Amino acid sequence: MTVDLDLIIVGGGIGGVICLKYARDAGLNALLLERGNRVGGLWRDLPSWQDIQFRKEDWTLGNLPLSGEDQPSILGNIEAWVERFDLAPYIRLNAAVTSARQGENGWRLTTDTGNHEARWLIAATGGHNRPRLPQVERVDATVTEYHSSALRDPELLRGKRVTVVGGGASAYDLLDLCFAHGAAGVNWIYRSTKWMRPTRKGKHLGIDMRILARYQMLCLPANLIYRLTSKDLRARYAKAGLNEIMPESDFDIRRDQLIPGRPGMIKNFASIERHRGEVSSIHDNTLTLSSGEQMETDLLLWGTGYNVDFDFLGLEAISGARNLNEISSRCYSGFLCADAPNLFLLAPGVLERNTSTPWAYAHVARSIMSHIRGRPVFVRPPAEGLINHFDMLKLLAPEDRRNFPFVIWYLKYLWLAICHPWKRPMPIP
């Protein structure tokens, strides 16, 4: 058993690795437990065609190497953190946590290889750790099926009749792949769609989060920001001929993530056979929809996203949450769990927001270490609504003067929002 630990971090993705770096900087005795045989989290398991949804400069912190936006580059960047900051001695690989329970002095964790105790716990297992596959009836099904996380070779689409299911970022990716790799025909099934920003530019150039940062640091109210954004998006949908898939509700930055458009999907939109509903059964190579409509297909691609799995914590309120937003709304200041003492849930407060994930993790990690060292930072009651980009700083700064000196922090980030060239990586906080 490992004893006398201040902090245990569960999960060796980018969030967990960043937290470990700042825990070491803060002088904490910390240990990271990772179930796999190498760090990387979700990015370790994803196919090589998967990528981020924004410029690599918005992912990169400091001068840690990042050659591109694709999965191998992101995985290499996470591994570079471990090497650059000499974190390997504080990481236990092949240490899947089977349970984490509260004890008298903090948390007791059980893994396949032993037990560990620490006063504080950060659950950095991500928010996309269980692929979501709808339950449908299958009778002598011959259709080949892949979740977006399991499609290793997009060349399998060539010459095939492909059906994509889902109405969000994963489905948009799969539709784009269909045209990039020569699918013979494309059906798209969705119940509803999420907002995207139609553009003919490359996916990584479709969203500039620093525009949002500029609005926020100039103190434009959220109501005005989402009205301006919603008006712009509706005009873009109309220009691109996408009104049929425009979400029913106005875009609201406090509720919606803005997804960059996929140029291949948009260019070939007219050739996509679109069906509103869901798959209810599969017989042989025929799909039957909830409407009773039937279609034949060779490949069925599930772009239905992910569920989050925090079952190892044994907290009913968290395990029963339907999505990340419900979990983050049960956390003080978005991260400190209200259902258990000394527990931070890292991913729900960051993922599915309009922000750069590593950038947000770096700021939250520093404030978490301040909180652990005795300065209460995460004190605001749980609240509904997303905390997007620089609004996260406004949430943390008033309580964390160690990392956000009075007035100086605001001037610094105002300068970054207005003057900082996007081609340069963001500095490590």
Side-chain angles (χ1 to χ4, degrees):
M1 178 185 296
T2 303
V3 296
D4 297 328
L5 288 172
D6 299 309
L7 170 66
I8 289 178
I9 302 163
V10 181
I14 185 62
V17 169
I18 286 176
C19 282
L20 180 59
K21 188 267 184 191
Y22 285 108
R24 297 298 306 166
D25 287 352
L28 299 177
N29 188 6
L31 179 69
L32 186 150
L33 302 176
E34 164 55 38
R35 63 180 174 83
N37 59 6
R38 60 192 289 203
V39 297
L42 177 69
W43 288 103
R44 182 190 62 242
D45 300 326
L46 287 176
S48 59
W49 60 265
Q50 293 270 15
D51 51 12
I52 54 178
Q53 299 189 36
F54 42 81
R55 297 180 176 97
K56 66 180 182 180
E57 291 80 15
D58 281 336
W59 172 281
T60 308
L61 294 178
N63 61 353
L64 276 77
L66 180 63
S67 57
E69 295 88 356
D70 58 339
Q71 179 267 346
S73 299
I74 299 301
L75 181 57
N77 180 251
I78 298 171
E79 293 172 333
W81 273 78
V82 175
E83 182 177 357
R84 175 72 61 85
F85 301 112
D86 193 25
L87 302 179
Y90 313 102
I91 297 175
R92 299 289 181 270
L93 301 174
N94 299 307
V97 176
T98 55
S99 72
R101 297 295 183 266
Q102 305 164 58
E104 292 183 4
N105 300 315
W107 288 86
R108 179 184 178 91
L109 282 76
T110 302
T111 74
D112 296 335
T113 57
N115 299 321
H116 306 273
E117 290 185 352
R119 183 183 173 206
W120 292 87
L121 173 62
I122 297 178
T125 50
H128 299 154
N129 50 24
R130 184 193 296 170
R132 183 185 298 130
L133 288 169
Q135 297 298 312
V136 301
E137 181 184 5
R138 291 171 174 82
V139 181
D140 298 324
T142 60
V143 176
T144 302
E145 302 179 48
Y146 293 99
H147 186 267
S148 61
S149 63
L151 179 63
R152 301 290 165 185
D153 182 8
E155 277 297 301
L156 294 172
L157 308 180
R158 192 168 300 280
K160 302 290 178 55
R161 297 169 298 176
V162 181
T163 299
V164 174
V165 180
S170 295
Y172 299 160
D173 275 339
L174 293 172
L175 290 167
D176 219 43
L177 284 179
C178 286
F179 297 107
H181 293 273
V186 182
N187 287 299
W188 181 19
I189 302 169
Y190 56 90
R191 291 181 300 179
S192 60
T193 56
K194 293 186 178 181
W195 281 103
M196 67 174 172
R197 186 174 184 267
T199 177
R200 300 284 179 160
K201 297 179 180 179
K203 172 183 172 183
H204 315 297
L205 304 176
I207 300 295
D208 187 350
M209 287 176 295
R210 301 189 189 200
I211 295 176
L212 172 59
R214 193 172 302 130
Y215 288 160
Q216 291 174 330
M217 297 312 289
L218 291 173
C219 296
L220 292 184
N223 279 332
L224 178 58
I225 294 174
Y226 94 75
R227 283 201 302 270
L228 292 173
T229 306
S230 188
K231 182 179 179 180
D232 174 68
L233 290 177
R234 290 188 177 278
R236 290 178 180 272
Y237 269 72
K239 183 177 180 180
L242 302 177
N243 283 343
E244 180 186 329
I245 61 168
M246 187 184 298
E248 296 178 357
S249 301
D250 284 347
F251 177 83
D252 188 336
I253 200 170
R254 298 160 297 188
R255 179 192 64 224
D256 300 314
Q257 181 188 27
L258 184 54
I259 302 168
R262 277 52 169 178
M265 168 196 170
I266 295 171
K267 179 181 178 181
N268 297 281
F269 182 73
S271 65
I272 301 173
E273 300 248 357
R274 301 178 292 279
H275 310 268
R276 194 144 195 163
E278 54 189 322
V279 179
S280 59
S281 67
I282 307 173
H283 180 261
D284 195 19
N285 68 340
T286 301
L287 310 181
T288 300
L289 307 189
S290 52
S291 63
E293 185 180 4
Q294 293 185 326
M295 65 186 70
E296 294 183 352
T297 193
D298 300 316
L299 276 176
L300 177 58
L301 304 181
W302 296 102
T304 43
Y306 298 82
N307 291 320
V308 59
D309 183 2
F310 284 127
D311 290 350
F312 71 94
L313 293 170
L315 300 174
E316 184 177 349
I318 299 299
S319 297
R322 293 173 297 176
N323 51 50
L324 292 175
N325 294 338
E326 284 193 3
I327 295 175
S328 62
S329 69
R330 301 189 65 85
C331 295
Y332 288 95
S333 301
F335 295 93
L336 180 61
C337 184
D339 298 291
N342 297 4
L343 170 64
F344 286 95
L345 303 176
L346 192 64
V350 171
L351 297 182
E352 299 193 7
R353 271 66 171 158
N354 296 296
T355 190
S356 165
T357 304
W359 182 89
Y361 282 156
H363 286 84
V364 171
R366 289 196 308 160
S367 289
I368 287 176
M369 305 317 152
S370 291
H371 191 100
I372 290 175
R373 293 179 63 189
R375 179 187 292 269
V377 176
F378 296 86
V379 295
R380 298 195 186 184
E384 298 287 342
L386 306 186
I387 305 167
N388 285 291
H389 212 53
F390 277 19
D391 275 350
M392 182 176 293
L393 305 180
K394 295 180 179 180
L395 179 73
L396 299 173
E399 312 298 336
D400 187 11
R401 293 304 184 194
R402 177 182 289 123
N403 292 310
F404 299 92
F406 185 69
V407 178
I408 295 176
W409 77 268
Y410 181 85
L411 297 176
K412 170 185 175 181
Y413 288 101
L414 178 64
W415 178 81
L416 285 174
I418 295 176
C419 304
H420 197 66
W422 70 263
K423 289 187 177 182
R424 294 176 57 191
M426 296 292 280
I428 296 178

